[in-house]
Amino acid sequence: MNLKKAEDLIPIIPNINTLKKYGRVIRVVGLLIESEGPESSIGDVCFIHLNIPEGGRSLIQAEVVGFREEIVMLMPYTDIRNISSGCLVETLGKPLEVKVGMNLLGQVLDSLGRPIDSSPLPKGLATVRTENSPPNVLTRPTINDKLAVGVKAIDGMLTVGSGQRVGIFAGSGVGKSTLLGMIARNTEADINVIALIGERGREVREFIDRDLGPEGLKKTIVVAATSDQPALMRIKGAMTATAIAEYFRDKGLNVMLMMDSVTRVAMAQREIGLAVGEPPATRGYTPSVFAILPKLLERSGTNEKGAITAFYTVLVDGDDMNEPIADAVRGILDGHIVLDRTLANKGQYPAINILKSVSRLMNHIADPEHLKAAAKLRELYYAYDKSEDLINIGAYKKGTSREIDEAIEYEPIITDFLKQKFNENIQLEDTVNEMIALASGGGERR
């Protein structure tokens, strides 16, 4: 071992903190732990030393979430059982950090970056902070390249660019997780990072085994925070997944980040906000919810080194696309995909409503011929949708409108084009060629 000379250590000595800072628990109210001290900042990680009845001592991790006069307010990462008045609180003096690297591919992690199966972390990993600022707006390159996701309805009608951020809006049980699994398996991105936030415990394993599959897991890192975990763990799951994606982006890779769901992140932040005394605002959501959403969502996208293409699912209450979280997220992202329960009930999967969905970058990245074909198919689909009730009750007579006659002829063909089997991977070039042929070749069935 090479030892440094004494004179080399002299400049370092003043920066070494040889004191540990402690406080004491004075009260626990619901999810909130109140402590006298230690001196700390918002976001700092603390250890609470538990007095176990058998005489042993243990630790739980918590985070500073606020202050009230001289009182430090903490939220735990784990269960708060065995915390008692007088327990020592030790601050680390820094926010949460996790380990990340290529050796994590294929792993399923918790919100603190630890393997859920309790196996040791691989060696050779770097340490990164979970909370970072979004890239400087002037260092974000313009998005010019298409990114194929292997889903015809998206590649053809809602083309996504490398570095674009898209929301998937749907009620429960309409196929969000299935669509994410298709994208993860079929995408051209180098690496997938998937955050499962607030999911049922059963659904995590089902998503990994059934929706993602061994093929998708090979190039994927999954971060899971189930619904039974504390609110802070659910928020940290989103932050950790984003930090992992940022690490690979800074290595120059093209990363696919998928988060299911942003709504549950917002609900977790609402829990924390109400616990620390924030007033409820829109539909019970606290102001901090609408402050945290842009900070989280703006972290994805492009920077001067690489790109994070992101899909964020939004669980809409009662299929209300204008509820507060859906409205806020739609205003931040670069496009939205709406999954329609009516289409799902008809057996159309993926149940993407192309009339209610939009990619804000498609006009800038798709070829003119592709755009022309997409506009034609959308126009015909809209004409049929507008007149569907008249057609179904027999009130429309053929020949009354040339546009509606053409729409009736095309509707089954367009619907058939938008359908796709769960395990089917369609190349972007094949999708575009099929669209151009449909738009220019009349209404013959395939």
Side-chain angles (χ1 to χ4, degrees):
M1 177 184 283
N2 295 325
L3 298 176
K4 291 187 176 181
K5 296 179 181 179
E7 56 268 25
D8 295 334
L9 297 176
I10 292 174
I12 302 174
I13 292 174
N15 298 321
I16 298 176
N17 186 3
T18 58
L19 297 176
K20 288 188 175 181
K21 299 176 182 179
Y22 289 94
R24 287 187 180 275
V25 173
I26 59 172
R27 187 163 63 163
V28 177
V29 182
L31 300 175
L32 197 65
I33 303 165
E34 296 186 1
S35 167
E36 284 186 335
E39 182 184 334
S40 53
S41 303
I42 295 288
D44 282 355
V45 175
C46 295
F47 285 123
I48 300 176
H49 295 253
L50 304 180
N51 297 314
I52 305 299
E54 290 75 13
R57 297 185 69 82
S58 184
L59 302 173
I60 70 168
Q61 282 182 283
E63 183 175 304
V64 178
V65 296
F67 304 98
R68 184 181 293 125
E69 297 177 355
E70 300 300 319
I71 303 302
V72 179
M73 294 186 286
L74 303 135
M75 279 273 186
Y77 290 142
T78 54
D79 192 24
I80 61 175
R81 282 179 296 181
N82 296 321
I83 293 180
S84 59
S85 180
C87 285
L88 287 179
V89 180
E90 175 189 350
T91 179
L92 298 185
K94 60 181 181 180
L96 180 65
E97 296 177 335
V98 296
K99 299 283 189 180
V100 61
M102 293 297 291
N103 293 336
L104 281 182
L105 289 177
Q107 294 272 6
V108 183
L109 310 175
D110 67 9
S111 299
L112 305 183
R114 305 170 302 195
I116 286 182
D117 60 5
S118 301
S119 62
L121 280 170
K123 295 181 179 179
L125 303 178
T127 302
V128 298
R129 291 180 52 171
T130 59
E131 297 197 33
N132 300 301
S133 299
N136 186 296
V137 293
L138 296 181
T139 65
R140 288 182 181 265
T142 304
I143 297 174
N144 297 312
D145 299 324
K146 297 186 288 290
L147 180 73
V149 298
V151 179
K152 289 197 295 184
I154 298 176
D155 285 343
M157 305 299 294
L158 306 162
T159 311
V160 173
S162 178
Q164 185 172 349
R165 301 160 305 144
V166 182
I168 299 176
F169 294 73
S172 57
V174 188
K176 296 185 303 299
S177 297
T178 302
L179 180 59
L180 288 182
M182 291 176 67
I183 294 171
R185 289 196 315 275
N186 300 340
T187 179
E188 291 180 340
D190 301 317
I191 289 175
N192 298 319
V193 180
I194 302 177
L196 302 177
I197 309 300
E199 293 285 347
R200 304 175 188 90
R202 170 185 61 81
E203 291 179 333
V204 173
R205 185 60 185 263
E206 283 185 0
F207 177 83
I208 294 168
D209 291 346
R210 184 187 62 194
D211 296 335
L212 191 58
E215 180 185 348
L217 189 59
K218 287 180 183 177
K219 63 172 186 176
T220 300
I221 299 171
V222 178
V223 179
T226 51
S227 58
D228 60 297
Q229 294 181 338
L232 192 58
M233 282 290 274
R234 282 173 266 150
I235 292 176
K236 288 301 170 186
M239 298 295 181
T240 295
T242 305
I244 292 171
E246 288 171 330
Y247 170 84
F248 289 116
R249 175 180 64 186
D250 291 343
K251 295 294 182 183
L253 298 176
N254 193 351
V255 185
M256 176 70 75
L257 171 64
M258 287 176 276
M259 190 174 296
D260 185 14
S261 70
V262 172
T263 306
R264 294 193 177 107
V265 176
M267 290 177 175
Q269 181 60 37
R270 177 174 61 183
E271 287 183 43
I272 293 175
L274 292 173
V276 299
E278 280 190 81
T282 311
R283 290 202 192 175
Y285 287 101
T286 57
S288 63
V289 172
F290 301 100
I292 196 176
L293 285 175
K295 291 179 181 178
L296 174 64
L297 303 180
E298 286 287 353
R299 286 171 61 181
S300 55
T302 59
N303 70 1
E304 66 275 13
K305 298 175 183 176
I308 299 174
T309 306
F311 285 87
Y312 299 98
T313 69
V314 180
L315 184 63
V316 292
D317 271 341
D319 294 334
D320 177 11
M321 298 297 166
N322 294 315
E323 59 94 24
I325 300 304
D327 206 38
V329 171
R330 189 166 48 239
I332 297 168
L333 299 179
D334 307 317
H336 53 273
I337 296 170
V338 176
L339 301 186
D340 195 319
R341 191 178 301 277
T342 302
L343 296 178
N345 291 340
K346 290 179 179 179
Q348 179 176 322
Y349 286 99
I352 297 174
N353 189 322
I354 59 170
L355 300 179
K356 295 180 180 178
S357 307
V358 65
S359 169
R360 295 181 180 174
L361 295 178
M362 182 174 176
N363 288 338
H364 304 289
I365 58 177
D367 300 328
E369 199 173 6
H370 178 187
L371 289 173
K372 183 179 178 181
K376 174 69 173 177
L377 296 184
R378 188 183 295 268
E379 178 185 330
L380 291 169
Y381 201 72
Y382 173 74
Y384 182 87
D385 182 76
K386 183 176 63 174
S387 307
E388 185 174 13
D389 290 341
L390 292 175
I391 296 167
N392 289 339
I393 65 174
Y396 175 76
K397 294 184 179 180
K398 187 176 181 180
T400 304
S401 168
R402 181 178 177 183
E403 179 188 40
I404 296 177
D405 288 346
E406 189 178 14
I408 293 172
E409 187 178 9
Y410 265 93
E411 189 274 335
I413 303 171
I414 297 173
T415 300
D416 190 42
F417 166 76
L418 295 174
K419 290 181 180 179
Q420 186 170 335
K421 294 179 181 177
F422 168 70
N423 56 358
E424 193 176 10
N425 182 5
I426 310 296
Q427 298 298 312
L428 175 61
E429 185 179 352
D430 295 337
T431 296
V432 174
N433 289 338
E434 184 178 352
M435 285 178 60
I436 293 171
L438 286 178
S440 60
E444 282 191 346
R445 291 180 179 271
R446 288 176 296 159

